[in-house]
Structures are given as structure tokens and as C-alpha cells.
Amino acid sequence: MIKAHSQRVLQPYSAQVQIAESDHARALSMDGDVWEFQFIYANNRSAKASVGRQQGRFIRAAHIRHCDLKRVIENPVTEDGRVDQRILELATFLIGARLPFEAADRYEYWLLDPKDCSPLALIFSCVDSSEMASFPKLTDWAALPAAVMPIETSEAERSSSYGPVNYRLERCVAERAGTKPRAQWFTRRYNESEDFPPFLVREDWENDEHRDLCRRYLHRQAPRLLMLHGVIPEERRRMELAARANALDVARFYPLYPEIADNDVMDKIRIEARLRLAAGETSYAMGRRDGVLYQ
């Protein structure tokens, strides 16, 4: 049996990865287009172990674009031999699957604001409560690196040799957490009684400079943040408007947006992206981190 879910890629947050898993293999994608197939070699797997929560190694087997899945299934013989049945089973599932998969990582580890012990910035998340003990007791929040997500700086900032916005916001979060930072696990239920930052870091900064750094960081990250589940329409609309400045990123991640708040805004962004791609612009480069794709 194949099970599917999505979860946030942390830390730092970079995307909502889609995961389809059988007992012996899994397929992952950051954009719904390129899928990485991995074989699972689990250690001490019990008969009652749930799919996707097995402890073991994941060995990369292949990359296949979604548009090629049907061809692989219909002609499973290549120059290197026959395509592994574990890949064919997942490929068959993915052809008929609807994206994005439901988010499952509701156990969240937050850095706390020392003033009232409220959530300040999300550090980790996981799918099963049994996984919480395996995470390190970190109290440092990390921004998405400038090499992955460059943020434009002003001429005044460049002339003063200011560092990237990403790392300056990191320092702001660390300073706000205090000299003895604390972090805590929460179980999210996504109801009205909960008060968590919708975009994974607090935006209510007292200092104007810090507030501006946070705004610029989140606006640049908007195409990725729109992949988050459980965001109310007003907040989603705010990030859709911010995402207009990065149309190519929107085109990359759009298939994984669980909802659209303003279809007119999104349609205009996607039209711009198509025109720019047709003119020869490159949308992104793909890399790897800890055995998992990132973009």
C-alpha cells in the first residue's frame, strides 16, 4: 500500500516536500515535476511500523520527471536493464495522484519569545510524535541561505558593507530570543484558538529596521511560503501580492499551492512567468542537502 503526505523542509524552511511511500521505496518532489525515487533499507523494522516512519537508510535510485512517468511504465526496459518494480509501483501511483498531498507534520518545535514564551520562529517539524526525541535540542533559528534565495539590497546597504538580509534577520531573531533561548514542542491543531506566526517567524518587531528586514525576507520567500497549509485567506492574499516580484519562483512552486486567495493576481504572475521562460530565462537550479532535493 502506498501512503502520501507532504511536510515542510526544515531547517531552514525552503519548501513543502511531497512524499509518496511504499514499504520498500519512496518518491519525493519539491515542485511536483521532478521526482527523486529512493529505496528504503530499514533497520529493525517491526511488522507494526508505519510507512514513512521507519528508521533506516534511503538510497537514491533515479530522477524522473512527471511527464516521463507514463513512458517509463509503458516501456520499463532501458539500456541499463529493466526498471525496478519498486519504482514502477510508485510511478503508477503518482500518475493518478492529486497534488499537493495533505500536510502531516503537525508536531512543531518553536523557538520562544522570552517575554511571554509564545512561538517566535519555527525550527523543526515532524510527522509522528515518536520522532520528536530524535531531534537535537537546538535553540538557533536559521534563515534560508542567501546563495539559495538572494534578496536585493539597497545602494546604501552595499556601500556600508551590510551583510545579506537573510543573515541579518537571523541575528535579529537570535537577539530577540535572548541570552538564554528556549524552545518547545507543540502539537498543532490548526484551529482559531491557536496563535502561531502564519509564515513561521514573528513579524511584530518593535524596531523599524528589524521589521523591515523581516518583511523583505518573507516577501522574497513568498513563492515558497504559499506552499504552506492552513494559512487563512487574508494572509495568503498578502503573500500572493508579495510573490509578484518573483514570478519565476511562483511558476516553479505553483502546482503545490494548496489554495489560491486571488486568482486574478495568480493568473497575471503565471502569464509573466511563461513569457519570461519563453524568452530564455532560467527558472532555477536544483541541488541536494542531507540526501534530499532542495531548490
Side-chain angles (χ1 to χ4, degrees):
M1 179 179 178
I2 294 175
K3 294 186 178 181
H5 71 275
S6 68
Q7 64 185 79
R8 288 158 291 191
V9 178
L10 295 159
Q11 118 136 318
Y13 171 75
S14 58
Q16 187 94 10
V17 63
Q18 310 297 304
I19 305 174
E21 297 172 300
S22 66
D23 287 329
H24 308 291
R26 69 179 184 178
L28 305 90
S29 180
M30 294 287 201
D31 57 11
D33 178 24
V34 179
W35 289 87
E36 178 173 298
F37 291 79
Q38 300 176 347
F39 295 151
I40 300 173
Y41 294 92
N43 299 324
N44 300 322
R45 182 170 59 196
S46 68
K48 296 182 179 181
S50 58
V51 174
R53 296 165 180 78
Q54 303 159 356
Q55 298 298 315
R57 296 180 297 124
F58 298 91
I59 307 300
R60 179 163 54 99
H63 286 106
I64 305 176
R65 297 193 65 174
H66 190 275
C67 61
D68 294 327
L69 292 175
K70 185 176 181 181
R71 177 182 56 80
V72 171
I73 293 169
E74 293 177 345
N75 184 23
V77 179
T78 69
E79 294 179 357
D80 298 323
R82 188 171 182 84
V83 177
D84 192 286
Q85 183 60 38
R86 291 170 289 184
I87 294 177
L88 295 177
E89 180 185 15
L90 285 169
T92 301
F93 171 83
L94 292 173
I95 285 179
R98 183 176 178 179
L99 299 177
F101 298 142
E102 183 178 355
D105 54 334
R106 65 191 187 97
Y107 299 97
E108 302 179 347
Y109 186 69
W110 286 84
L111 179 65
L112 303 179
D113 188 318
K115 289 185 176 180
D116 56 7
C117 292
S118 61
L120 171 59
L122 182 63
I123 298 176
F124 298 129
S125 69
C126 61
V127 173
D128 193 272
S129 59
S130 63
E131 298 175 289
M132 293 190 289
S134 66
F135 285 87
K137 302 296 183 182
L138 289 183
T139 53
D140 296 322
W141 175 80
L144 196 59
V148 176
M149 190 185 74
I151 300 175
E152 186 176 351
T153 54
S154 67
E155 184 176 342
E157 288 174 315
R158 292 190 294 272
S159 63
S160 299
S161 299
Y162 284 4
V165 170
N166 317 51
Y167 307 128
R168 290 158 63 194
L169 180 61
E170 267 189 23
R171 290 196 296 271
C172 291
V173 171
E175 291 172 4
R176 181 165 175 171
T179 56
K180 296 181 179 180
R182 294 178 53 212
Q184 177 182 327
W185 282 99
F186 294 87
T187 302
R188 289 291 298 274
R189 294 176 175 81
Y190 293 100
N191 58 46
E192 295 180 359
S193 65
E194 295 180 321
D195 186 19
F196 290 85
F199 300 117
L200 315 184
V201 62
R202 291 276 285 272
E203 300 178 59
D204 57 338
W205 298 86
E206 296 179 357
N207 182 289
D208 289 342
E209 178 185 355
H210 295 176
R211 185 162 52 252
D212 179 64
L213 288 172
C214 186
R215 178 190 61 80
R216 290 162 64 189
Y217 178 82
L218 293 182
H219 281 195
R220 178 63 183 87
Q221 201 181 29
R224 300 169 185 268
L225 294 171
L226 289 171
M227 287 187 279
L228 294 173
H229 294 240
V231 177
I232 63 174
E234 292 78 8
E235 296 290 2
R236 185 170 294 280
R237 184 174 293 106
R238 177 163 66 94
M239 281 301 148
E240 288 176 358
L241 292 171
R244 292 180 298 182
N246 294 282
L248 296 184
D249 284 350
V250 171
R252 181 197 326 175
F253 297 120
Y254 176 81
L256 303 186
Y257 292 170
E259 298 178 76
I260 302 297
D262 192 322
N263 283 295
D264 288 340
V265 169
M266 195 57 57
D267 287 345
K268 290 177 181 177
I269 296 174
R270 296 178 68 205
I271 290 171
E272 177 189 340
R274 285 197 294 269
L275 292 173
R276 291 170 60 182
L277 289 170
E281 290 193 48
T282 303
S283 58
Y284 67 97
M286 183 180 296
R288 299 179 60 80
R289 183 180 62 222
D290 298 332
V292 177
L293 291 173
Y294 74 89
Q295 301 167 310

